[in-house]
Short mmCIF file of all heavy atoms in Angstrom, two decimals:
data_model
loop_
_atom_site.label_atom_id
_atom_site.label_comp_id
_atom_site.label_asym_id
_atom_site.label_seq_id
_atom_site.Cartn_x
_atom_site.Cartn_y
_atom_site.Cartn_z
N ILE A 425 10.04 34.14 -88.87
CA ILE A 425 11.51 34.01 -88.95
C ILE A 425 12.04 33.37 -87.67
O ILE A 425 12.91 32.50 -87.70
CB ILE A 425 12.15 35.39 -89.19
CG1 ILE A 425 11.86 35.88 -90.61
CG2 ILE A 425 13.66 35.35 -88.94
CD1 ILE A 425 12.25 37.33 -90.86
N THR A 426 11.51 33.80 -86.53
CA THR A 426 11.94 33.25 -85.24
C THR A 426 11.64 31.76 -85.16
O THR A 426 12.48 30.96 -84.72
CB THR A 426 11.26 34.00 -84.08
OG1 THR A 426 11.53 35.41 -84.22
CG2 THR A 426 11.77 33.52 -82.74
N ALA A 427 10.44 31.36 -85.55
CA ALA A 427 10.08 29.93 -85.53
C ALA A 427 11.00 29.12 -86.43
O ALA A 427 11.46 28.03 -86.05
CB ALA A 427 8.62 29.76 -85.97
N ASP A 428 11.29 29.64 -87.62
CA ASP A 428 12.15 28.92 -88.56
C ASP A 428 13.59 28.84 -88.06
O ASP A 428 14.25 27.79 -88.17
CB ASP A 428 12.13 29.61 -89.93
CG ASP A 428 10.77 29.55 -90.60
OD1 ASP A 428 9.94 28.71 -90.20
OD2 ASP A 428 10.53 30.35 -91.53
N LEU A 429 14.08 29.93 -87.50
CA LEU A 429 15.47 29.98 -87.06
C LEU A 429 15.69 29.09 -85.83
O LEU A 429 16.71 28.41 -85.72
CB LEU A 429 15.83 31.44 -86.75
CG LEU A 429 17.31 31.81 -86.75
CD1 LEU A 429 17.49 33.27 -87.13
CD2 LEU A 429 17.93 31.56 -85.39
N PHE A 430 14.72 29.06 -84.92
CA PHE A 430 14.85 28.26 -83.70
C PHE A 430 14.37 26.83 -83.90
O PHE A 430 14.63 25.96 -83.05
CB PHE A 430 14.07 28.90 -82.56
CG PHE A 430 14.78 30.05 -81.90
CD1 PHE A 430 14.82 31.30 -82.49
CD2 PHE A 430 15.42 29.87 -80.69
CE1 PHE A 430 15.49 32.35 -81.89
CE2 PHE A 430 16.09 30.93 -80.07
CZ PHE A 430 16.12 32.17 -80.67
N ASN A 431 13.64 26.58 -84.97
CA ASN A 431 13.03 25.28 -85.23
C ASN A 431 12.16 24.84 -84.05
O ASN A 431 12.21 23.70 -83.60
CB ASN A 431 14.09 24.21 -85.52
CG ASN A 431 13.47 22.93 -86.06
OD1 ASN A 431 12.35 22.93 -86.60
ND2 ASN A 431 14.18 21.81 -85.93
N LYS A 432 11.37 25.79 -83.56
CA LYS A 432 10.46 25.51 -82.46
C LYS A 432 9.18 26.34 -82.65
O LYS A 432 9.23 27.41 -83.27
CB LYS A 432 11.09 25.88 -81.11
CG LYS A 432 12.33 25.05 -80.77
CD LYS A 432 12.90 25.39 -79.42
CE LYS A 432 14.23 24.66 -79.21
NZ LYS A 432 14.08 23.21 -79.21
N PRO A 433 8.06 25.85 -82.16
CA PRO A 433 6.83 26.65 -82.27
C PRO A 433 6.97 27.95 -81.47
O PRO A 433 7.52 27.97 -80.37
CB PRO A 433 5.75 25.75 -81.69
CG PRO A 433 6.48 24.76 -80.84
CD PRO A 433 7.81 24.57 -81.47
N VAL A 434 6.45 29.01 -82.05
CA VAL A 434 6.50 30.35 -81.43
C VAL A 434 5.07 30.81 -81.18
O VAL A 434 4.19 30.63 -82.02
CB VAL A 434 7.25 31.34 -82.35
CG1 VAL A 434 7.03 32.78 -81.91
CG2 VAL A 434 8.73 31.01 -82.40
N TYR A 435 4.86 31.41 -80.00
CA TYR A 435 3.52 31.82 -79.61
C TYR A 435 3.50 33.29 -79.18
O TYR A 435 4.45 33.78 -78.58
CB TYR A 435 3.00 30.96 -78.46
CG TYR A 435 2.88 29.50 -78.81
CD1 TYR A 435 3.92 28.62 -78.56
CD2 TYR A 435 1.72 29.00 -79.42
CE1 TYR A 435 3.82 27.27 -78.89
CE2 TYR A 435 1.60 27.66 -79.76
CZ TYR A 435 2.67 26.80 -79.49
OH TYR A 435 2.56 25.48 -79.83
N ARG A 436 2.39 33.94 -79.48
CA ARG A 436 2.07 35.27 -78.95
C ARG A 436 0.85 35.15 -78.04
O ARG A 436 -0.03 34.33 -78.31
CB ARG A 436 1.76 36.27 -80.06
CG ARG A 436 2.97 36.77 -80.82
CD ARG A 436 2.61 37.93 -81.73
NE ARG A 436 1.56 37.64 -82.68
CZ ARG A 436 1.55 38.04 -83.96
NH1 ARG A 436 2.56 38.76 -84.43
NH2 ARG A 436 0.54 37.77 -84.75
N VAL A 437 0.81 35.99 -77.03
CA VAL A 437 -0.36 36.00 -76.15
C VAL A 437 -1.30 37.12 -76.59
O VAL A 437 -1.09 37.77 -77.61
CB VAL A 437 0.06 36.15 -74.67
CG1 VAL A 437 0.93 34.99 -74.25
CG2 VAL A 437 0.78 37.47 -74.43
N GLN A 438 -2.33 37.35 -75.79
CA GLN A 438 -3.44 38.21 -76.22
C GLN A 438 -3.07 39.68 -76.32
O GLN A 438 -3.83 40.46 -76.90
CB GLN A 438 -4.63 38.04 -75.27
CG GLN A 438 -4.51 38.78 -73.93
CD GLN A 438 -3.80 37.98 -72.85
OE1 GLN A 438 -3.09 37.03 -73.14
NE2 GLN A 438 -4.02 38.36 -71.59
N THR A 439 -1.93 40.08 -75.78
CA THR A 439 -1.56 41.48 -75.81
C THR A 439 -0.09 41.64 -76.10
O THR A 439 0.73 40.79 -75.72
CB THR A 439 -1.90 42.19 -74.47
OG1 THR A 439 -1.45 43.56 -74.53
CG2 THR A 439 -1.21 41.51 -73.30
N TYR A 440 0.25 42.72 -76.76
CA TYR A 440 1.64 43.07 -76.98
C TYR A 440 2.25 43.67 -75.71
O TYR A 440 3.47 43.63 -75.50
CB TYR A 440 1.69 44.07 -78.15
CG TYR A 440 2.81 45.08 -78.12
CD1 TYR A 440 4.13 44.70 -78.31
CD2 TYR A 440 2.54 46.43 -77.90
CE1 TYR A 440 5.16 45.63 -78.29
CE2 TYR A 440 3.56 47.36 -77.87
CZ TYR A 440 4.86 46.96 -78.06
OH TYR A 440 5.87 47.87 -78.03
N GLU A 441 1.42 44.16 -74.81
CA GLU A 441 1.89 44.83 -73.59
C GLU A 441 2.16 43.81 -72.48
O GLU A 441 1.53 43.81 -71.42
CB GLU A 441 0.86 45.86 -73.13
CG GLU A 441 0.61 46.98 -74.12
CD GLU A 441 1.80 47.93 -74.26
OE1 GLU A 441 2.78 47.78 -73.52
OE2 GLU A 441 1.73 48.83 -75.13
N THR A 442 3.13 42.94 -72.71
CA THR A 442 3.36 41.84 -71.77
C THR A 442 4.08 42.28 -70.50
O THR A 442 3.90 41.65 -69.45
CB THR A 442 4.13 40.71 -72.46
OG1 THR A 442 5.28 41.24 -73.13
CG2 THR A 442 3.26 40.00 -73.48
N SER A 443 4.91 43.33 -70.56
CA SER A 443 5.52 43.83 -69.32
C SER A 443 4.43 44.33 -68.38
O SER A 443 4.44 44.04 -67.18
CB SER A 443 6.49 44.97 -69.61
OG SER A 443 7.66 44.50 -70.20
N GLY A 444 3.49 45.08 -68.94
CA GLY A 444 2.38 45.59 -68.14
C GLY A 444 1.50 44.46 -67.62
O GLY A 444 1.03 44.50 -66.48
N LEU A 445 1.29 43.44 -68.46
CA LEU A 445 0.48 42.30 -68.02
C LEU A 445 1.17 41.58 -66.87
O LEU A 445 0.52 41.21 -65.87
CB LEU A 445 0.24 41.34 -69.19
CG LEU A 445 -0.55 40.06 -68.87
CD1 LEU A 445 -1.91 40.38 -68.27
CD2 LEU A 445 -0.70 39.20 -70.13
N GLY A 446 2.49 41.39 -66.97
CA GLY A 446 3.22 40.75 -65.88
C GLY A 446 3.12 41.55 -64.59
O GLY A 446 2.92 40.99 -63.50
N ALA A 447 3.24 42.87 -64.71
CA ALA A 447 3.09 43.73 -63.53
C ALA A 447 1.68 43.62 -62.95
O ALA A 447 1.50 43.58 -61.72
CB ALA A 447 3.42 45.17 -63.89
N ALA A 448 0.68 43.57 -63.82
CA ALA A 448 -0.70 43.44 -63.36
C ALA A 448 -0.92 42.11 -62.64
O ALA A 448 -1.63 42.05 -61.62
CB ALA A 448 -1.66 43.56 -64.54
N ILE A 449 -0.29 41.04 -63.13
CA ILE A 449 -0.39 39.73 -62.46
C ILE A 449 0.12 39.84 -61.03
O ILE A 449 -0.50 39.34 -60.09
CB ILE A 449 0.39 38.67 -63.26
CG1 ILE A 449 -0.35 38.34 -64.57
CG2 ILE A 449 0.58 37.39 -62.43
CD1 ILE A 449 0.44 37.48 -65.52
N VAL A 450 1.27 40.51 -60.86
CA VAL A 450 1.80 40.73 -59.51
C VAL A 450 0.77 41.45 -58.63
O VAL A 450 0.54 41.07 -57.48
CB VAL A 450 3.11 41.55 -59.56
CG1 VAL A 450 3.60 41.86 -58.15
CG2 VAL A 450 4.20 40.80 -60.32
N GLY A 451 0.15 42.47 -59.20
CA GLY A 451 -0.84 43.24 -58.45
C GLY A 451 -2.04 42.42 -58.03
O GLY A 451 -2.51 42.51 -56.88
N TYR A 452 -2.56 41.60 -58.94
CA TYR A 452 -3.74 40.80 -58.62
C TYR A 452 -3.43 39.70 -57.61
O TYR A 452 -4.28 39.35 -56.77
CB TYR A 452 -4.38 40.24 -59.89
CG TYR A 452 -5.22 41.26 -60.62
CD1 TYR A 452 -4.78 41.83 -61.81
CD2 TYR A 452 -6.43 41.68 -60.09
CE1 TYR A 452 -5.54 42.79 -62.47
CE2 TYR A 452 -7.20 42.65 -60.74
CZ TYR A 452 -6.75 43.19 -61.92
OH TYR A 452 -7.50 44.16 -62.56
#
Side-chain angles (χ1 to χ4, degrees):
I425 289 170
T426 305
D428 294 342
L429 201 152
F430 280 78
N431 192 21
K432 296 182 187 297
V434 166
Y435 298 93
R436 284 190 304 220
V437 299
Q438 78 272 19
T439 177
Y440 149 69
E441 298 290 355
T442 49
S443 288
L445 177 57
I449 289 171
V450 175
Y452 280 107

